[in-house]
Amino acid sequence: MTDATPRYLVGVDGGGTGCRAAIADLTGRLLGQGAAGPANATTDLAQTIVNVRVALDAAAVGLPAGALKHSVAHVGLAGVLDGDIARAVAEELMMRNVTVTDDRAISVAGALGARDGVLAAIGTGSTLAAQRGDSILRIGGWGLNLGDQASGAWLGRELLEHALLVHDGLADGCALSTAMLEAFGGPGESCGLRRRRDRRITRHLRPASLRRDRRDRPRGGC
């Protein structure tokens, strides 16, 4: 085996909440896994690259030095909307054989493999895909600003928007909208979340809060 011969298979799955990396040998035997923070290339390209590297380094613990250079890698990240972003990520990772795509492609591959089927990927973002033979139809996955309906981020944003309408007297309130404003310290702090990309919203959108809202809300409430 020469120095140019790939010795490892590397996969990275990155989204708005976090990213994961896995390394296997050429037989498919898993050798290491790693995880790190958010990896949405459109939201924050520089931090995405940092977090992907952290996940890869964690997965490579115990492997020979330079192992990642001797690999075939596929990196699927949210927010890879064009070739320029894909090339920017690939150049920073400095692996000899790396392909960078958006995370929709790896979602279909991971869920369906070569089989025909339909995928609904609902997480921080959201997308739908249908695969038949060599044809793949995708719907959605365009990011929170223009889409991602039904995703965790979309649900949280809709809730905060409604809570602010309640505060302004433009919508009927309920226990959940009141709890959200209290949890985030009022309307000013709620608006600041979008500027800081604060992840506290996901910690407060818990089943307990939703159960309390269903139990307490009056008819016609939010």
Side-chain angles (χ1 to χ4, degrees):
M1 181 179 291
T2 68
D3 287 342
T5 302
R7 302 174 188 174
Y8 304 100
L9 304 174
V10 177
V12 177
D13 176 10
T17 299
C19 66
R20 300 171 295 173
I23 301 177
D25 63 20
L26 298 184
T27 70
R29 181 171 62 94
L30 185 64
L31 301 176
Q33 299 182 79
N40 185 310
T42 294
T43 301
D44 191 334
L45 179 57
Q47 190 60 50
T48 290
I49 292 170
V50 169
N51 288 339
V52 169
R53 284 175 170 169
V54 170
L56 285 170
D57 288 345
V61 170
L63 297 181
L68 293 177
K69 291 185 177 180
H70 301 285
S71 65
V72 175
H74 192 121
V75 179
L77 304 174
V80 177
L81 302 180
D82 56 42
D84 289 341
I85 296 176
R87 283 188 290 273
V89 174
E91 289 171 2
E92 290 294 330
L93 295 180
M94 296 183 293
M95 291 188 285
R96 292 177 180 174
N97 299 289
V98 57
T99 299
V100 179
T101 67
D102 68 20
D103 59 344
R104 295 179 299 173
I106 62 170
S107 294
V108 173
L112 300 176
R115 299 170 297 167
D116 292 348
V118 176
L119 167 69
I122 310 296
T124 306
S126 65
T127 187
L128 297 173
Q131 177 168 273
R132 178 175 293 178
D134 295 331
S135 176
I136 299 176
L137 172 66
R138 298 186 182 93
I139 298 174
W142 301 117
L144 181 59
N145 288 337
L146 298 176
D148 281 4
Q149 291 85 352
S151 69
W154 180 86
L155 287 170
R157 186 189 63 187
E158 291 293 299
L159 173 56
L160 283 178
E161 179 181 334
H162 181 78
L164 293 174
L165 290 174
V166 171
H167 175 269
D168 290 340
L170 300 176
D172 293 332
C174 62
L176 183 56
S177 59
T178 300
M180 286 300 98
L181 286 172
E182 292 176 352
F184 291 109
E189 286 296 309
S190 298
C191 293
L193 290 177
R194 296 193 64 182
R195 293 192 297 274
R196 298 192 308 272
R197 294 190 292 273
D198 197 316
R199 295 174 60 195
R200 286 183 297 161
I201 185 171
T202 59
R203 297 203 296 270
H204 288 286
L205 283 174
R206 292 175 176 169
S209 297
L210 297 176
R211 285 196 298 270
R212 179 178 61 183
D213 174 59
R214 285 196 295 266
R215 183 178 64 246
D216 296 343
R217 72 183 178 192
R219 290 186 181 275
C222 61

